[in-house]
Amino acid sequence: MNIITGESETGKSEILDIVDYCLGRSTPNLPDEPIDQTVGWYALLVAFRDSRMLLARPRPTGASTIQAMIRTGGDTLDVPLADELRPNSNVAALRSQLSARLGIEDFRFEPPPGATRTAFDVSIAQAALLCFQNQNEIADKKRLFHRQTEERLAQKLKDALPYFLGAASPEQALRRHYLNEAQRDERAAKRKLDDAQRHRESTDATGVALLRLAQSEGLLKEIIPATLGPLEIRRQLEQALTVTISTIGPADLRDRRVDLADERRTLREQLQQLDEQLALVERWRRQGEAFSGELHLQLGRLKSIDLLGPELDHDTAVCPMCTRPLESPDASAADIATLAEELSAELDQVQAIQPIREEHRRSLNEERATIVENLRVNGAQLRELAESDQRMRSLQDQHVRIARIQGRIDQALTGGVGSHVVDIADIRNNLAVAQDNVETLQTLIDEDDVIAESERRLASIADNMTAWAKQLNLGQAMSADEVAISLSQLNVVVRRPQGRLPLSRIGSAKNWIGYHLVAHLALHTYLRQHNRPVPAFLMLDQPTQAFFPLKIKDATTVRDADWETVTAYFQLLQYVTEINEGALQIIVCDHANLTEQPWFQEAIVENWRPIDGQRRALIPNDWLD
């Protein structure tokens, strides 16, 4: 057990994120200031039985980086100087090499047929999720594993955990892969058989339908299609194609209809023009009558001048009543008489034009009557042509129908109607072979029963979980029959005589943290005892947070905390490292410092509390300067 203790805001919680990042996490969650302003590289030294590996990654610029540095060596390999850090690989290679060193086999998880999730290769990416508990996760009543709430990670944990437990093997995954392929082959063979049967039924039905159409138009003699085989149907259809139909109806009939239609259109245009001219003549007549009537009226008034006697010679510049001079002289009787003569002459001219206009109107009416008669004759000719052409049109329609039928027959023959009998015996045989293969592989997979084997192994883990939960006196533990990890829920469940109780229904952050501890300690103990390919460490961030205020500077200054329970938690951690005999490393970052416990003090690797007023933290003071 290695403990990093100290005051708050010294960088303890960031260590977990840094280790996660160095192990190949693709989306790092590294802290900001002051680390981001001072650190250029993050490096992690990991040890295997007979070798070491340096894993280093530069500070991400932006969301992430794929660059990495990998260096392998013996027990003397150490973290190099800063100027020796150079990218020589990438994250994919880093994860691949780590997975190989851990002994993770080529295990590809294949989802069941119809599942929406995709296949994936099990690697350090899933194994590392079992090794971390940050301060938010360790006190979460709804999730048990690291990053469990992130999209698709929970399902990947459910799919990969049986392999890490040893309940699923690469051979089983390979059989699952072969089963999926066999099921695809089975579905393909089934579709092929269905298509062949539908094609045969369709072509047979098409051939019979075309035979009936050909018979209905007289291309073939009356036969019973149901009594014919595919080859005979094809022969009959080919015979229907040999029947030739002569061109029906003289070509000049169509030309005659076109001529009559053109003539009718011309006559209508002429009739429209005559109607417009007649309307104009009528308008002129009405205007002439109005004009001549006005002339008659005015002329009648002017004729009264002839009744005057001596007044004709009256001086028009003097008023006849008062004999005073007029500003504007009146018209003289002579002028009025002259005007009357002019109006009379104009009236004579108007009356002289009237007969000419009437003659023009009669001429237009006669011309219009001629055109109307021509239209009537044209219409009669069109009707007569239509009546006489009725039979021709019927023959033409039949000709078009026959041409269409022969076109469909030719297309059907080209598509293979009746060319051969579809032999589906081989397709049925292929389907039977595929079904047998699926059944055999399904039997092998059912015998494996990965889910049942996983539950059996989780039950073995539950033995330690139950004992340690009772040892810590966690809520509901004393009356529990079993405390276990639920593979379906990815959380702790307490099985009691009254029924199952999920962790989300157990109160108190103390209990949530306690159950997280016993679950992960029991899981890693099982993994180490069975030499499973999961990194042999467990990082815990702030496992005692439930016993201190939310904002705490230094836990050693809190005197009224439940220090007995805090001590019991760390004693359990120490005990688990002892029973694993050095095979498991537990790294704890916490505020607590049990100064009176020698075993606790021996486990401390960093104590970030001020000495002589000098700040001690993850980032050295001289870096900040």
Side-chain angles (χ1 to χ4, degrees):
M1 180 167 63
N2 301 135
I3 299 174
I4 300 174
T5 183
E7 296 181 349
S8 62
E9 299 182 357
T10 53
K12 299 185 300 299
S13 297
E14 281 70 23
I15 295 179
L16 185 148
D17 293 326
I18 292 172
V19 174
D20 196 5
Y21 176 59
C22 290
L23 289 178
R25 179 173 176 176
S26 57
T27 54
N29 189 28
L30 296 173
D32 198 354
E33 301 179 356
I35 296 179
D36 187 59
Q37 296 182 352
T38 58
V39 174
W41 280 79
Y42 300 95
L44 180 67
L45 192 64
V46 296
F48 300 92
R49 285 192 179 91
D50 54 357
S51 63
R52 288 185 176 185
M53 179 181 289
L54 174 73
L55 309 173
R57 296 182 67 185
R59 179 188 65 201
T61 55
S64 184
T65 178
I66 62 171
Q67 292 183 329
M69 175 181 175
I70 304 174
R71 181 179 291 179
T72 58
D75 294 339
T76 59
L77 179 66
D78 205 346
V79 178
L81 298 176
D83 56 2
E84 298 179 32
L85 295 171
R86 297 285 187 277
N88 63 2
S89 186
N90 55 46
V91 174
L94 183 150
R95 287 198 293 257
S96 177
Q97 290 194 36
L98 267 181
S99 299
R101 288 295 187 94
L102 284 170
I104 297 177
E105 302 160 290
D106 292 333
F107 184 93
R108 182 170 181 80
F109 174 78
E110 293 281 351
T116 57
R117 58 190 189 275
T118 58
F120 66 92
D121 294 318
V122 176
S123 68
I124 182 66
Q126 294 81 42
L129 300 177
L130 307 177
C131 301
F132 298 104
Q133 285 283 279
N134 65 39
Q135 59 181 314
N136 295 324
E137 294 165 343
I138 200 170
D140 194 330
K141 63 180 179 180
K142 294 183 179 180
R143 57 177 173 173
L144 180 61
F145 294 103
H146 183 50
R147 299 171 59 194
Q148 180 177 325
T149 58
E150 294 185 20
E151 186 178 7
R152 295 189 296 271
L153 280 187
Q155 187 59 54
K156 285 192 174 182
L157 271 170
K158 293 179 183 179
D159 297 334
L161 193 56
Y163 168 75
F164 292 124
L165 293 173
S169 65
E171 291 76 16
Q172 292 168 324
L174 189 61
R175 284 196 288 269
R176 169 66 66 181
H177 174 71
Y178 288 153
L179 174 61
N180 289 346
E181 288 188 342
Q183 289 174 331
R184 283 195 291 270
D185 292 341
E186 178 188 15
R187 291 192 295 270
K190 184 67 169 59
R191 285 195 300 269
K192 191 173 182 180
L193 177 61
D194 292 341
D195 290 343
Q197 291 176 335
R198 282 195 297 270
H199 179 70
R200 185 175 68 178
E201 294 172 358
S202 175
T203 53
D204 289 350
T206 300
V208 171
L210 290 175
L211 277 181
R212 295 189 184 279
L213 285 174
Q215 292 173 9
S216 66
E217 296 297 338
L219 295 176
L220 294 172
K221 62 182 181 179
E222 290 294 331
I223 54 176
I224 302 176
T227 62
L228 303 179
L231 295 180
E232 181 60 23
I233 290 176
R234 183 178 181 85
R235 191 186 67 79
Q236 291 288 336
L237 292 176
E238 289 174 344
Q239 180 179 347
L241 286 180
T242 62
V243 178
T244 58
I245 305 298
S246 59
T247 303
I248 301 174
D252 58 349
L253 291 179
R254 179 179 177 277
D255 296 338
R256 177 60 177 159
R257 280 194 299 272
V258 172
D259 293 341
L260 288 174
D262 292 341
E263 180 186 1
R264 190 171 188 82
R265 184 167 52 256
T266 302
L267 291 173
R268 286 185 178 278
E269 292 174 355
Q270 293 174 353
L271 181 62
Q272 182 179 0
Q273 293 174 359
L274 288 173
D275 287 340
E276 292 174 354
Q277 292 177 13
L278 283 170
L280 181 60
V281 170
E282 179 64 21
R283 188 163 58 253
W284 287 347
R285 183 187 65 78
R286 288 196 301 270
Q287 291 176 353
E289 289 179 351
F291 179 70
S292 60
E294 182 68 21
L295 286 179
H296 279 293
L297 177 62
Q298 299 301 331
L299 184 60
R301 290 176 177 176
L302 294 177
K303 285 296 184 180
S304 62
I305 199 66
D306 295 335
L307 300 177
L308 297 177
E311 294 85 357
L312 289 174
D313 298 327
H314 175 73
D315 186 1
T316 58
V318 178
C319 176
M321 299 297 294
C322 64
T323 68
R324 294 181 64 181
L326 298 175
E327 293 182 2
S328 299
D330 292 332
S332 65
D335 292 337
I336 296 175
T338 302
L339 178 60
E341 292 176 358
E342 292 176 356
L343 289 177
S344 179
E346 288 182 8
L347 184 59
D348 292 340
Q349 291 177 1
V350 169
Q351 291 175 348
I353 293 174
Q354 182 67 21
I356 299 175
R357 185 169 53 240
E358 287 298 323
E359 181 64 26
H360 181 60
R361 186 170 64 85
R362 282 194 299 272
S363 175
L364 291 176
N365 282 327
E366 291 174 358
E367 187 175 352
R368 184 181 186 280
T370 301
I371 292 175
V372 170
E373 177 62 20
N374 291 339
L375 278 172
R376 187 188 64 77
V377 173
N378 178 274
Q381 291 175 340
L382 282 172
R383 287 192 297 273
E384 182 181 354
L385 182 62
E387 292 173 359
S388 64
D389 196 36
Q390 183 64 37
R391 181 174 174 276
M392 293 298 181
R393 284 202 301 272
S394 299
L395 292 176
Q396 282 183 325
D397 291 342
Q398 183 185 20
H399 176 68
V400 171
R401 290 196 303 273
I402 290 174
R404 288 178 178 174
I405 292 171
Q406 288 182 328
R408 291 176 59 185
I409 291 173
D410 182 66
Q411 183 180 9
L413 292 175
T414 304
V417 169
S419 59
H420 59 279
V421 179
V422 179
D423 187 3
I424 60 174
D426 291 341
I427 301 178
R428 282 202 178 96
N429 183 62
N430 293 338
L431 176 59
V433 171
Q435 290 172 335
D436 290 342
N437 194 19
V438 168
E439 185 177 351
T440 301
L441 290 170
Q442 188 67 63
T443 302
L444 292 175
I445 291 176
D446 291 343
E447 290 175 355
D448 292 337
D449 201 0
V450 173
I451 300 299
E453 183 62 21
S454 298
E455 293 295 339
R456 188 184 70 79
R457 293 172 186 257
L458 288 173
S460 177
I461 296 172
D463 293 339
N464 281 334
M465 290 179 61
T466 305
W468 294 342
K470 292 181 178 181
Q471 177 182 329
L472 296 179
N473 194 25
L474 299 178
Q476 305 295 331
M478 303 308 295
S479 61
D481 295 333
E482 183 183 62
V483 178
I485 297 174
S486 170
L487 182 60
S488 61
Q489 298 181 20
L490 289 183
N491 205 348
V492 175
V493 294
V494 178
R495 295 185 175 93
R496 309 170 301 166
Q498 302 93 321
R500 292 179 43 165
L501 188 67
L503 182 59
S504 59
R505 295 184 57 195
I506 300 176
S508 174
K510 166 193 169 183
N511 291 323
W512 303 335
I513 294 174
Y515 278 114
H516 273 251
L517 286 178
V518 300
H520 285 279
L521 292 175
L523 174 62
H524 277 272
T525 298
Y526 177 87
L527 296 175
R528 299 283 61 80
Q529 290 174 348
H530 293 81
N531 195 29
R532 298 306 301 158
V534 175
F537 75 89
L538 175 63
M539 290 195 71
L540 305 172
D541 183 29
Q542 311 295 342
T544 65
Q545 59 185 286
F547 305 97
F548 305 114
L550 293 178
K551 294 183 179 180
I552 182 174
K553 181 67 176 176
D554 187 354
T556 58
T557 63
V558 181
R559 299 304 176 190
D560 58 348
D562 188 355
W563 287 103
E564 290 185 3
T565 304
V566 172
T567 302
Y569 280 11
F570 276 102
Q571 284 176 336
L572 177 61
L573 296 175
Q574 177 67 15
Y575 169 73
V576 172
T577 59
E578 291 175 356
I579 65 174
N580 279 280
E581 299 178 346
L584 175 64
Q585 179 185 21
I586 298 178
I587 303 172
V588 185
C589 299
D590 203 276
H591 295 292
N593 184 12
L594 306 180
T595 57
E596 298 179 0
Q597 303 295 334
W599 53 269
F600 188 96
Q601 296 301 308
E602 290 176 2
I604 294 177
V605 293
E606 291 288 344
N607 188 344
W608 291 336
R609 290 179 173 84
I611 297 180
D612 297 331
Q614 295 294 319
R615 175 182 176 276
R616 303 174 66 195
L618 175 65
I619 303 300
N621 291 329
D622 57 343
W623 287 23
L624 298 176
D625 296 337

